[in-house]
Amino acid sequence: RNDAHISLSGDSKDLPQIYEIVIGGWANSQSVIRRAKQGTNFGRATTRGILSGSELRPFWISWDDHHIKVGKGKKVGEDVFMQWKDPSPMKITHVGVATGWGADGEWTVCTSKCAQTQYLDAMENCKQLRVCTLGAEYETRKPT
């Protein structure tokens, strides 16, 4: 119901320098894009009730040409609700998902075709990710 966190990074290790995307933070009222864990908010949107604990809520994230976009729905590029263009971009090869601040959740993740035969964290040539916060439409991966 709140605090979906997605990290985009250049390594599978836990790094301080990542792109951190928070959807439904602050009691499911805001979403942000950061350039570090708990860092400065660069992209920000008011998103009251964006997450749900009882129904499928699909989201997508794309990163191309230094531009990170986050949207609702199953079609990448439509219904953008938050974006930020990094003037000094980091290379993105890995993705991580988690819930934050006492929340729990189930993740369903679908990567673009370039990573369908790879594990979620091996996305060297990918530029997008689709996420459903609850449901079984795509392959489900739960954080360990």
Side-chain angles (χ1 to χ4, degrees):
R1 294 177 301 191
N2 61 284
D3 285 287
H5 290 239
I6 300 96
S7 66
L8 307 174
S9 71
D11 200 316
S12 62
K13 297 180 179 117
D14 188 18
L15 302 172
Q17 292 301 311
I18 61 168
Y19 292 112
E20 180 181 40
I21 298 164
V22 180
I23 300 173
W26 298 270
N28 205 13
S29 67
Q30 291 185 63
S31 298
V32 298
I33 301 171
R34 299 172 172 152
R35 200 172 192 283
K37 290 180 189 179
Q38 298 297 313
T40 301
N41 299 334
F42 290 104
R44 178 185 296 235
T46 299
T47 54
R48 295 193 197 295
I50 195 165
L51 298 179
S52 171
S54 63
E55 69 176 335
L56 177 71
R57 295 275 174 100
F59 299 92
W60 56 265
I61 300 165
S62 68
W63 54 94
D64 198 12
D65 192 31
H66 321 304
H67 203 167
I68 298 173
K69 296 180 184 178
V70 184
K72 297 185 284 188
K74 296 179 184 176
K75 190 164 185 183
V76 176
E78 291 187 359
D79 206 3
V80 175
F81 66 87
M82 182 172 60
Q83 58 186 312
W84 176 58
K85 191 162 188 171
D86 188 348
S88 180
M90 296 182 280
K91 184 174 181 176
I92 298 170
T93 58
H94 293 72
V95 174
V97 297
T99 55
W101 302 109
D104 57 39
E106 182 176 332
W107 290 85
T108 306
V109 177
C110 176
T111 60
S112 59
K113 289 181 183 178
C114 62
Q116 285 182 353
T117 60
Q118 304 292 324
Y119 287 105
L120 177 62
D121 65 350
M123 299 180 58
E124 177 116 15
N125 297 311
C126 293
K127 300 290 182 195
Q128 65 186 38
L129 173 74
R130 285 187 294 171
V131 177
C132 299
T133 59
L134 181 68
E137 182 176 356
Y138 309 113
E139 181 180 51
T140 300
R141 296 181 187 265
K142 292 183 181 178
T144 55

